[in-house]
C-alpha cells in the first residue's frame, strides 16, 4: 500500500502543471551585497541571513571588463560603439544598478538556474523597487539591451506584453540619445 501511494504521489507531482511546480518566491527587504563581480544585470543579494546571486530576466547590461572578449565585442556591435566604450557603458550600468537598489528592493524568483562562468549558484529574477522594474529601467536608460531569458511576470503580465514594454522603453532611450 505504501509503495502504491509513493508511486501515485510521484505521478501527481511530475504530471502537475508547471505553474504548480514553478511558484514565484518573493524576497522582500533585500539589500545589495558588495561584491567585485556585481554588474548591471547580475549581482549578490542579501536576504535575511543568506546571500544569493541573481541575474535579471529580459535584460543584458554590457560587461564591466574584457574577460569575455567575444561577449564584449557582441555587445559593442549591438550599440554601435567601440569595445572600450561598451565596457564604460557596462560600468555605468553597474553604478545605475547600485544606486537603484541602494534603499532596498524586492526579488521575485522561480529559482531557475542562471549559472554563468562561476560555479556558484545563480538564479534568474525580477527585481523591483516599488513599482519600478530594474530590467525595464536599465533598458529605458540605454544601459541594457533586451536580451536573455524571459518568463511571465509575477503580477501575471505575459512575457510578450513585457517585451513590448521593453521595446517602447528602448525606442525612448534611442530617441533621447541614451
Amino acid at each position: 500500500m505504501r509503495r502504491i501511494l509513493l508511486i501515485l504521489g510521484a505521478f501527481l507531482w511530475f504530471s502537475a502543471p508547471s505553474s504548480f511546480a514553478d511558484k514565484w518566491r518573493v524576497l522582500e527587504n533585500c539589500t545589495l551585497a558588495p561584491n567585485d563581480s556585481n554588474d548591471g544585470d547580475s549581482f549578490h543579494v542579501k536576504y535575511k541571513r543568506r546571500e544569493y546571486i541573481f541575474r535579471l530576466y529580459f535584460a543584458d547590461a554590457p560587461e564591466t571588463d574584457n574577460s569575455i572578449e567575444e561577449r564584449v565585442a557582441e555587445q559593442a556591435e549591438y550599440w554601435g560603439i567601440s569595445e572600450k566604450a561598451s565596457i564604460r557603458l557596462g560600468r555605468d550600468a553597474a553604478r545605475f544598478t547600485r544606486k537603484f537598489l541602494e534603499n532596498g528592493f524586492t526579488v521575485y524568483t522561480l529559482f531557475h538556474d542562471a549559472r554563468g562562468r562561476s560555479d556558484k549558484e545563480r538564479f534568474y529574477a525580477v527585481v523591483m523597487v516599488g513599482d519600478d522594474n530594474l530590467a525595464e529601467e536599465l533598458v529605458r536608460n540605454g544601459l541594457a539591451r533586451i536580451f536573455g531569458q524571459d518568463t511571465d511576470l509575477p503580477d501575471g503580465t505575459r512575457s510578450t506584453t513585457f517585451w513590448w514594454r521593453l521595446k517602447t522603453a528602448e525606442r525612448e532611450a534611442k530617441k533621447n540619445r541614451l
Side-chain angles (χ1 to χ4, degrees):
M1 180 63 164
R2 186 171 190 261
R3 186 172 187 206
I4 291 171
L5 288 175
L6 285 172
I7 292 170
L8 179 61
F11 172 77
L12 289 173
W13 174 259
F14 288 110
S15 65
S18 63
S19 61
F20 175 77
D22 290 343
K23 183 173 168 43
W24 285 101
R25 305 325 191 280
V26 181
L27 287 59
E28 295 178 314
N29 302 313
C30 294
T31 57
L32 194 61
N35 191 288
D36 289 341
S37 67
N38 287 352
D39 61 21
D41 61 23
S42 182
F43 36 84
H44 292 243
V45 170
K46 284 186 184 179
Y47 174 67
K48 295 187 177 178
R49 294 180 182 219
R50 182 145 184 221
E51 187 171 309
Y52 297 93
I53 305 172
F54 289 110
R55 161 100 176 71
L56 295 177
Y57 281 108
F58 295 99
D60 179 45
E63 301 303 313
T64 57
D65 62 41
N66 203 23
S67 61
I68 310 173
E69 292 179 18
E70 61 280 356
R71 188 153 174 88
V72 170
E74 175 189 324
Q75 291 168 335
E77 182 180 339
Y78 174 84
W79 271 283
I81 58 179
S82 72
E83 291 178 17
K84 282 185 177 183
S86 180
I87 291 169
R88 282 194 305 273
L89 185 63
R91 291 178 183 152
D92 290 345
R95 277 190 294 279
F96 179 91
T97 294
R98 269 193 314 275
K99 179 97 174 116
F100 189 83
L101 301 178
E102 72 184 352
N103 294 318
F105 51 95
T106 301
V107 170
Y108 297 86
T109 184
L110 297 166
F111 286 107
H112 287 171
D113 185 14
R115 221 172 261 146
R117 294 179 292 162
S118 170
D119 289 336
K120 296 178 182 175
E121 281 188 319
R122 182 170 74 157
F123 305 103
Y124 285 106
V126 173
V127 176
M128 303 290 293
V129 174
D131 293 332
D132 296 325
N133 181 305
L134 175 56
E136 188 173 7
E137 293 306 313
L138 283 164
V139 170
R140 181 180 321 287
N141 285 278
L143 297 169
R145 62 183 175 160
I146 304 166
F147 187 84
Q149 186 69 31
D150 73 354
T151 187
D152 291 340
L153 297 180
D155 67 2
T157 301
R158 305 283 303 171
S159 64
T160 51
T161 301
F162 192 65
W163 279 111
W164 283 110
R165 271 182 33 199
L166 290 173
K167 287 303 270 180
T168 299
E170 184 179 61
R171 278 193 300 277
E172 287 175 23
K174 286 181 181 178
K175 179 181 163 189
N176 294 324
R177 304 176 75 76
L178 299 173

